[in-house]
Amino acid sequence: MGKAFLVGGIIAVILKLWYMLIDRMGVTSTLGKVALDQGPGSFFFNFLAQSLFAAFDGLSPDEIVEKVFVYNNVKLVMFSWLWWIPVKAFMFQFISPANQIGFGAIGSYFWNIFMFYYTNN
């Protein structure tokens, strides 16, 4: 449980910087923001979160690359788009930048419940 809070805290700070970068790049359309966030951003943040969890579990860098990047990351990102593209489209369209991390955390909560159910059934 403590690992989840630590990884979540690390990811939240980096996500805040990522959203600020998207805004500073001059991307104003919801479609453009979602494309950046769910294109390169989705792969990076999924890989980062899984890598942090694996590192906290004691895996070596080579094991992390094999387990996380080669095997899990691409499948997980493609599967996560079913949830995150609509959530992020709503977020970028209707949620103020000051509240986007909180909204994303709520989205993550429901995503994690689904993933727990999916992986345990």
Side-chain angles (χ1 to χ4, degrees), residues 5 7 15-16 43 50 52 63 111 120-121:
F5 284 113
V7 171
L15 271 173
K16 180 64 175 174
F43 282 96
Q50 290 182 62
L52 288 170
E63 291 171 318
W111 171 252
N120 289 291
N121 285 313

Side-chain angles (χ1 to χ4, degrees), residues 53-108:
F53 280 118
F56 291 141
D57 286 340
L59 272 64
S60 72
D62 289 338
E63 291 171 318
I64 291 171
V65 169
E66 179 65 28
K67 179 180 179 186
V68 174
F69 187 70
V70 174
Y71 180 71
N72 289 340
N73 196 43
V74 173
K75 292 177 188 175
L76 179 62
V77 168
M78 290 177 10
F79 185 63
S80 74
W81 285 338
L82 296 172
W83 170 255
W84 284 112
I85 287 176
V87 168
K88 293 297 182 91
F90 182 88
M91 181 185 83
F92 287 128
Q93 181 68 36
F94 299 110
I95 306 298
S96 71
N99 296 315
Q100 288 177 351
I101 295 297
F103 183 82
I106 293 167
S108 291

Side-chain angles (χ1 to χ4, degrees), residues 18-63:
W18 171 242
Y19 295 154
M20 289 169 56
L21 178 64
I22 290 174
D23 286 337
R24 288 202 175 140
M25 290 171 62
V27 180
T28 57
S29 72
T30 299
L31 181 61
K33 289 180 178 184
V34 171
L36 272 174
D37 187 64
Q38 292 302 299
S42 183
F43 282 96
F44 172 76
F45 286 107
N46 274 295
F47 179 71
L48 178 62
Q50 290 182 62
S51 297
L52 288 170
F53 280 118
F56 291 141
D57 286 340
L59 272 64
S60 72
D62 289 338
E63 291 171 318

